[in-house]
Amino acid sequence: MKATVVTRNFSVNLIVILAVGVVIALIGLAMFFASQLVNDTVVDQFKSQELQLASSLSQQTETYFNSLIADIAYLSAQPEINTASSDRLREEALALLAEHGTARDGIIRSIAVFSYRGEPRYAWPEPLAAVIEAGERFPYALDSQLVAQTKDGTYVPIETQLVRASHRDYPDQGTFLLITPVYTDLRKTDFLVYDLDLDVLFSQLMGFVELDARGQLWVLNRDEVLFQANATIPIESLLAKISLASLVSFREPVIEDYTAEGDDRLAVIAPITTQGRDFAVILSRDVDTALNRVEFDLRQIFVLAGVAILLITVLAGVAWSLNVRAARRHLVEVQRRQTARTLLEVSRALNSTLNLADVLRSIMAELSHIVPYDSAAVLLLDRSKLVVAAHRGSDVDEHQATEFDLDEAQAANQVLQTGRPLVIQDTTQDERWQSTATSRIRAWMGIPLRVRDQTVGVLNINSHQVGHFTAEQIELAAAFADQASVALQNARLHEVEVKQIEQELTIARDIQ
């Protein structure tokens, strides 16, 4: 009997030991597969986040260069700048140069106006103006091939261009010049030049990116590295795999794996193109950083050791949850990429013409791809009135008036005064909205149209449904309005230039 009990206890203990061994083995296997699953998911998530960040940096840089181009084009069209025959406007021209130069927080080192022969006429800041007055050698010179086009003293159609140039004050690194033509009243083509400090520009645009000790951010062109955020991480290891020229040849953001000092790294390369110049922003991080950034503790799996029978079910649930989360992240990423592509296509469509009427029609057409609406209008500020420059939608009767006082449109006036978007989700319950009894507008969105820091109009978006507009639509509409503002400004400047040329031709015919 005693032997039977001992044998039975031994059998039970053996079964318990075997069961514990099996559970431990299952836990080990589960930990291995779970760690592999988590690592793969984390790396994929890390790549997706880095790709999105680098793409955002490249788009933000292109947008900033576009704003610089619009700014220099606006400045070149001012009468104080293009009236070359009047010395009395010189002080006003210098004041304009100072206003535009100081507004860019050190990105613009200097602004100069060159004659059609490539000779500096006047410049900002004052020390540079003193160099011209004293007849001393200017720190940089215009390209001889460019001046050769204008030296005969006639109107020459020249595109705004970004060029690399040597600079006396920066002999090692040189400088970048943003050059645009100035069509003067003497029928000559002068030049307006921004001397840009790209290191300051990229520092401001990239400054919000968080980098640890193993992270790096470069901006480069075909010849050199223009900006780096972390000097301790050299670019030579990446250049050993991809040449400098190849890095700026990509047309879409890409991810490259490479090894630096024995560490596996990821480099996300996003192209930047502006005025015929190719740049690239490269975000490089250690792969281990991705794993350390995810707050996931594998030790939680040991909690399941006491419930061995539920182990497989729990692991299946974890795997399913991770897959669902990865699918959601992928869906969000796809939506963000689609939004970015849509905005890029909208920007190209809006800037495909300089005809003001075509630009207004394009704004109304492209807006429907961004925010669904029942009607919309572009309202431009003209002194103390709002003028309906364009309208699209079914409620034509409600937009019969082509202009109205600001007091008649309290909501639009608030957008003009604050420079911020305003949304009224129920117009029947908001005292700022004045509607007729037959009006079908139930939700309204007003987005400011800004040129630099000045609000010049309102993008008016209407819906027949209460509470129609979402927070995401408001953000998209604001981004669209920024693109539309640049296109409108360029078209209006072009219209001014065309009218000026037509006026000059009329005067010339009268003289003849």
Side-chain angles (χ1 to χ4, degrees):
M1 185 70 180
K2 183 176 181 182
T4 303
V5 173
V6 171
T7 303
R8 185 181 300 171
N9 289 339
F10 176 79
S11 300
V12 171
N13 291 336
L14 181 60
I15 293 173
V16 171
I17 292 173
L18 290 175
V20 171
V22 170
V23 170
I24 292 176
L26 288 175
I27 292 176
L29 288 173
M31 289 182 60
F32 174 77
F33 288 115
S35 64
Q36 291 299 315
L37 177 63
V38 170
N39 287 348
D40 292 343
T41 303
V42 168
V43 171
D44 290 342
Q45 176 187 3
F46 179 66
K47 288 182 178 180
S48 177
Q49 292 174 344
E50 295 296 279
L51 192 64
Q52 179 185 352
L53 178 56
S55 300
S56 175
L57 291 174
S58 68
Q59 293 170 11
Q60 184 175 341
T61 303
E62 289 183 358
T63 299
Y64 191 88
F65 272 112
N66 289 338
S67 71
L68 276 174
I69 293 166
D71 184 76
I72 196 172
Y74 173 80
L75 182 59
S76 69
Q78 300 307 301
E80 294 88 345
I81 304 296
N82 58 35
T83 307
S85 59
S86 175
D87 290 334
R88 69 179 181 81
L89 294 179
R90 180 67 58 84
E91 292 300 324
E92 297 180 17
L94 288 172
L96 271 178
L97 298 188
E99 177 186 347
H100 283 250
T102 55
R104 291 290 181 172
D105 296 329
I107 292 174
I108 300 178
R109 291 194 184 108
S110 64
I111 306 177
V113 175
F114 286 74
S115 72
Y116 64 99
R117 294 175 177 170
E119 302 164 345
R121 293 177 53 209
Y122 55 90
W124 168 89
E126 188 173 339
L128 208 57
V131 169
I132 298 176
E133 292 294 331
E136 300 176 0
R137 187 170 66 90
F138 207 67
Y140 60 83
L142 299 183
D143 183 74
S144 58
Q145 294 182 356
L146 179 63
V147 176
Q149 301 178 53
T150 62
K151 65 180 181 180
D152 293 336
T154 58
Y155 279 165
V156 179
I158 296 176
E159 298 262 343
T160 300
Q161 50 191 280
L162 182 67
V163 300
R164 193 79 162 87
S166 58
H167 198 290
R168 182 185 64 199
D169 298 334
Y170 313 99
D172 296 332
Q173 64 187 48
T175 190
F176 277 85
L177 304 178
L178 186 63
I179 305 173
T180 199
V182 177
Y183 302 111
T184 70
D185 58 340
L186 298 180
R187 298 192 59 77
K188 302 180 187 302
T189 304
D190 289 353
F191 302 95
L192 180 63
V193 182
Y194 282 2
D195 178 11
L196 301 177
D197 190 334
L198 292 192
D199 188 66
V200 174
L201 186 152
F202 293 132
S203 295
Q204 292 184 12
L205 292 179
M206 316 291 176
F208 71 92
V209 179
E210 296 182 1
L211 295 174
D212 57 19
R214 300 298 298 162
Q216 176 62 294
L217 182 65
W218 295 291
V219 180
L220 46 85
N221 60 10
R222 293 184 178 274
D223 303 312
E224 60 187 326
V225 176
L226 301 173
F227 172 82
Q228 64 176 4
N230 186 354
T232 62
I233 307 297
I235 198 174
E236 281 70 23
S237 297
L238 180 59
L239 294 181
K241 181 177 181 181
I242 308 176
S243 67
L244 196 63
S246 298
L247 286 172
V248 297
S249 64
F250 296 107
R251 288 295 168 259
E252 295 289 339
V254 298
I255 298 177
E256 292 289 341
D257 300 309
Y258 72 105
T259 302
E261 299 178 355
D263 296 327
D264 293 332
R265 298 185 66 85
L266 289 176
V268 183
I269 307 162
I272 302 171
T273 302
T274 177
Q275 298 306 109
R277 303 287 300 191
D278 292 327
F279 301 90
V281 56
I282 302 176
L283 187 59
S284 174
R285 297 193 200 262
D286 193 332
V287 175
D288 290 338
T289 303
L291 304 178
N292 295 331
R293 287 171 59 184
V294 177
E295 297 180 357
F296 188 89
D297 190 357
L298 292 177
R299 292 177 300 177
Q300 294 178 357
I301 298 177
F302 286 106
V303 176
L304 304 178
V307 196
I309 195 172
L310 299 177
L311 182 62
I312 297 177
T313 304
V314 172
L315 289 178
V318 171
W320 177 82
S321 177
L322 288 173
N323 287 331
V324 169
R325 290 167 61 185
R328 289 175 179 173
R329 286 193 295 269
H330 179 71
L331 179 59
V332 171
E333 177 64 20
V334 169
Q335 291 174 341
R336 289 178 178 175
R337 290 184 183 180
Q338 290 176 345
T339 298
R341 290 194 187 100
T342 301
L343 289 175
L344 181 59
E345 293 172 359
V346 165
S347 177
R348 290 172 178 169
L350 293 181
N351 290 280
S352 62
T353 178
L354 289 175
N355 182 278
L356 183 57
D358 292 340
V359 169
L360 288 168
R361 282 192 294 270
S362 182
I363 289 175
M364 292 291 96
E366 296 297 334
L367 177 60
S368 62
H369 299 153
I370 300 296
V371 179
Y373 64 84
D374 291 306
S375 65
V378 173
L379 310 179
L380 297 180
L381 183 63
D382 185 5
R383 296 181 179 86
S384 61
K385 293 180 178 295
L386 277 173
V387 178
V388 179
H391 170 262
R392 184 176 183 179
S394 58
D395 53 352
V396 178
D397 296 338
E398 296 185 48
H399 292 81
Q400 290 293 336
T402 58
E403 64 178 37
F404 45 88
D405 295 329
L406 295 178
D407 294 339
E408 300 177 24
Q410 297 182 27
N413 191 18
Q414 182 174 334
V415 175
L416 290 172
Q417 297 300 321
T418 62
R420 297 178 179 178
L422 175 63
V423 177
I424 298 177
Q425 296 288 14
D426 188 352
T427 57
T428 62
Q429 303 297 323
D430 198 302
E431 60 183 8
R432 293 170 296 185
W433 185 263
Q434 300 176 1
S435 62
T436 62
T438 59
S439 175
R440 293 186 294 165
I441 297 175
R442 293 296 176 265
W444 177 85
M445 183 195 304
I447 306 296
L449 296 172
R450 290 186 291 264
V451 176
R452 294 195 301 275
D453 295 330
Q454 183 179 4
T455 303
V456 299
V458 178
L459 182 59
N460 195 59
I461 307 174
N462 307 314
S463 173
H464 296 164
Q465 299 178 3
V466 173
H468 174 74
F469 300 114
T470 65
E472 182 180 1
Q473 289 176 339
I474 297 170
E475 292 180 1
L476 289 175
F480 173 84
D482 290 339
Q483 300 284 356
S485 298
V486 173
L488 275 174
Q489 180 66 8
N490 290 340
R492 296 173 80 180
L493 288 176
H494 177 72
E495 190 176 63
V496 170
E497 292 178 1
V498 170
K499 290 182 179 179
Q500 182 179 354
I501 293 174
E502 291 176 349
Q503 183 179 6
E504 291 175 354
L505 290 175
T506 300
I507 295 173
R509 285 195 293 268
D510 292 342
I511 293 174
Q512 290 176 354

